[in-house]
Amino acid sequence: VNMMSYGLQLEREQNTFAAGVRYDVSRSADLKLQFEHIHKPAGAIGDFTQIQPGFADSEQHANVVTLAFDFVF
């Protein structure tokens, strides 16, 4: 998929590695932890939004950690 940004045609390319664990606290509740490492090559914008000038010109990395507590009542 291509996207027009700052008058240039940029690729939405990115690579993502994700890993997660889940712990059942009880029959009706669980705790989830997930880690993602996102790599965006130079010349692409990936799936990022709110792109700033110069962002697509260089290689970028981002780490995302998510913690969730799910329950049924």
Side-chain angles (χ1 to χ4, degrees), residues 16-19 33-38 48 61-67:
T16 303
F17 168 79
L33 177 66
Q34 181 171 323
F35 170 80
E36 292 182 72
H37 176 77
I38 303 164
F48 293 96
H61 298 268
N63 293 319
V64 179
V65 177
T66 305
L67 179 64

Side-chain angles (χ1 to χ4, degrees), residues 11-64:
E11 297 291 326
R12 292 183 58 103
E13 180 182 346
Q14 75 178 34
N15 297 311
T16 303
F17 168 79
V21 293
R22 172 182 153 168
Y23 175 71
D24 291 328
V25 178
S26 68
R27 284 181 25 155
S28 62
D30 61 52
L31 188 62
K32 299 174 187 172
L33 177 66
Q34 181 171 323
F35 170 80
E36 292 182 72
H37 176 77
I38 303 164
H39 169 253
K40 181 208 69 75
I45 59 169
D47 286 333
F48 293 96
T49 60
Q50 304 293 326
I51 305 303
Q52 301 299 312
F55 178 77
D57 298 336
S58 63
E59 183 175 323
Q60 302 285 329
H61 298 268
N63 293 319
V64 179

